[in-house]
């Protein structure tokens, strides 16, 4: 009986070994017999398919930039939340240890078509704080930017210094722009920036009445060629909110908005940061 079992085991092992080798050899013969199909005929002059990431690198090179590192996944719980029935938070940075910053662009006076193309090519998220008086001459300009997924936010109807206005006038400026942006772009803003960064408790109360989740200030502002810093170390910090404007050559001493944006992005990258979407954190 023991001899029979031993013989059966030996025969089974040989059969498995032969089967495995045969399958492997067949796969090798199949691979040799069937080379990968060509996407173009030899010598046809067509470009070979680009490697993963090559298209992104090419898009960045077009604007004189290098690709950014991908931002981290958004937090499961947003670090800035307006408590139910509580006051609207006022923020100039996001509490995080990640080396990320957030780009915000104000007003909407400059409407450079190249900027729309730049944002589509780069895929870098920005949040637009729009003023009706600045955008009403060309509402459609901003629709492609909204369609690209960039944030739509409130910067009042007429860009006044809100601290000089009473509570009702402030409410009209903020709620009125909430309504305008909803009508034009189909989205009710959740974020608000007071013009010049000037606000008081009446501003905060009005923003809350108008459905705003946060008043957004900033830590750095992009000028023509340089970044202005609020801190003495003149450096970006994790979670900083950066302010820029829709400006053209008349305000930028001959430089275009895309040139200003490219300079800002280089300064962010040189300090080892990448750009995240503000609305994922507020």
């Amino acid at each position: 009986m023991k001899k029979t079992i031993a013989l059966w085991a030996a025969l089974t092992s040989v059969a498995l070994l032969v089967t495995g080798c045969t399958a492997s050899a067949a796969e090798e013969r199949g691979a040799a017999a069937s080379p990968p199909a060509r996407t173009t005929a030899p010598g046809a002059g067509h470009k070979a398919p680009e490697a993963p990431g090559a298209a992104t690198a090419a898009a960045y090179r077009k604007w004189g930039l290098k690709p950014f590192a991908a931002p981290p996944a958004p937090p499961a719980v947003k670090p800035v939340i307006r408590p139910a029935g509580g006051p609207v938070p006022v923020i100039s940075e996001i509490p995080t240890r990640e080396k990320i910053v957030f780009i915000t662009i104000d007003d909407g006076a400059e409407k450079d078509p190249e900027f729309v193309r730049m944002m589509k090519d780069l895929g870098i998220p920005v949040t637009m704080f729009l003023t009706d008086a600045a955008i009403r001459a060309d509402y459609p300009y901003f629709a492609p930017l909204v369609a690209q997924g960039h944030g739509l936010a409130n910067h009042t109807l007429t860009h006044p210094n809100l601290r000089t206005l009473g509570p009702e006038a402030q409410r009209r400026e903020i709620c009125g722009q909430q309504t305008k942006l909803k009508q034009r772009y189909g989205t009710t803003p959740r974020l608000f920036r007071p013009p010049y960064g000037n606000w008081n408790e009446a501003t905060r109360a009005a923003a809350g009445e108008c459905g705003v989740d946060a008043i957004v200030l900033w830590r750095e502002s992009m000028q023509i060629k340089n970044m202005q810093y609020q801190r003495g170390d003149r450096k970006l910090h994790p979670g900083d909110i950066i302010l820029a404007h829709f400006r053209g050559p008349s305000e930028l001493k001959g430089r275009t908005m895309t040139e200003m944006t490219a300079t800002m992005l280089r300064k962010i990258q040189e300090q080892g940061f990448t750009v995240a979407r503000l609305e994922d954190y507020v």
Side-chain angles (χ1 to χ4, degrees):
M1 181 66 178
K2 291 183 178 179
K3 290 183 179 181
T4 301
I5 294 173
L7 179 60
W8 176 84
L11 291 173
T12 302
S13 298
V14 170
L16 290 173
L17 180 61
V18 171
T19 303
C21 291
T22 303
S24 177
E27 288 170 358
E28 289 177 3
R29 287 196 298 271
S34 304
R38 295 181 182 273
T39 55
T40 59
H46 296 293
K47 291 176 62 179
E50 291 185 303
T56 299
Y60 273 76
R61 281 197 303 271
K62 173 182 173 181
W63 302 101
L65 298 165
K66 296 178 181 179
F68 274 79
V77 178
K78 294 181 179 183
V80 179
I81 298 175
R82 180 187 177 189
V88 176
V90 181
I91 61 171
S92 55
E93 61 199 64
I94 298 295
T96 180
R97 295 182 180 179
E98 302 281 0
K99 292 203 74 174
I100 55 175
V101 294
F102 305 91
I103 296 176
T104 62
I105 309 178
D106 278 13
D107 303 339
E110 178 66 16
K111 303 168 185 68
D112 184 353
E114 284 297 298
F115 179 74
V116 179
R117 284 188 276 273
M118 182 185 205
M119 291 294 98
K120 182 178 180 180
D121 286 346
L122 302 184
I124 293 173
V126 303
T127 300
M128 304 177 292
F129 287 85
L130 301 180
T131 297
D132 189 65
I135 69 173
R136 66 176 59 155
D138 190 1
Y139 288 123
Y141 170 82
F142 299 92
L145 292 166
V146 174
Q148 289 173 19
H150 299 294
L152 181 70
N154 186 333
H155 199 40
T156 71
L157 287 170
T158 65
H159 207 272
N161 179 351
L162 292 175
R163 286 205 300 239
T164 68
L165 302 181
E168 180 55 29
Q170 292 200 43
R171 195 191 67 80
R172 284 196 300 269
E173 282 284 342
I174 300 171
C175 289
Q177 183 64 340
Q178 292 284 89
T179 300
K180 288 267 189 181
L181 293 174
K182 170 64 174 177
Q183 290 173 342
R184 292 291 174 179
Y185 305 108
T187 300
T188 301
R190 296 176 41 250
L191 307 180
F192 169 69
R193 172 170 286 155
Y196 318 106
N198 290 342
W199 65 279
N200 55 24
E201 287 304 319
T203 311
R204 182 184 264 186
E209 292 174 15
C210 299
V212 168
D213 289 334
I215 294 174
V216 180
L217 305 180
W218 61 90
R219 277 295 187 179
E220 291 82 27
S221 61
M222 184 63 199
Q223 303 304 309
I224 297 173
K225 294 183 180 180
N226 298 305
M227 194 94 75
Q228 288 187 348
Y229 299 86
Q230 293 180 358
R231 299 184 185 90
D233 63 5
R234 296 181 57 79
K235 292 180 181 179
L236 296 172
H237 289 243
D240 278 1
I241 296 170
I242 300 172
L243 165 67
H245 290 84
F246 284 93
R247 289 175 176 163
S250 59
E251 296 88 8
L252 299 174
K253 296 185 178 179
R255 291 168 65 86
T256 65
M257 184 168 178
T258 57
E259 289 174 323
M260 180 272 291
T261 302
T263 300
M264 173 175 60
L265 294 175
R266 287 189 200 100
K267 291 183 179 297
I268 292 170
Q269 201 169 51
E270 286 166 2
Q271 295 186 50
F273 285 80
T274 194
V275 180
R277 187 172 181 271
L278 182 59
E279 288 78 4
D280 289 339
Y281 290 76
V282 183

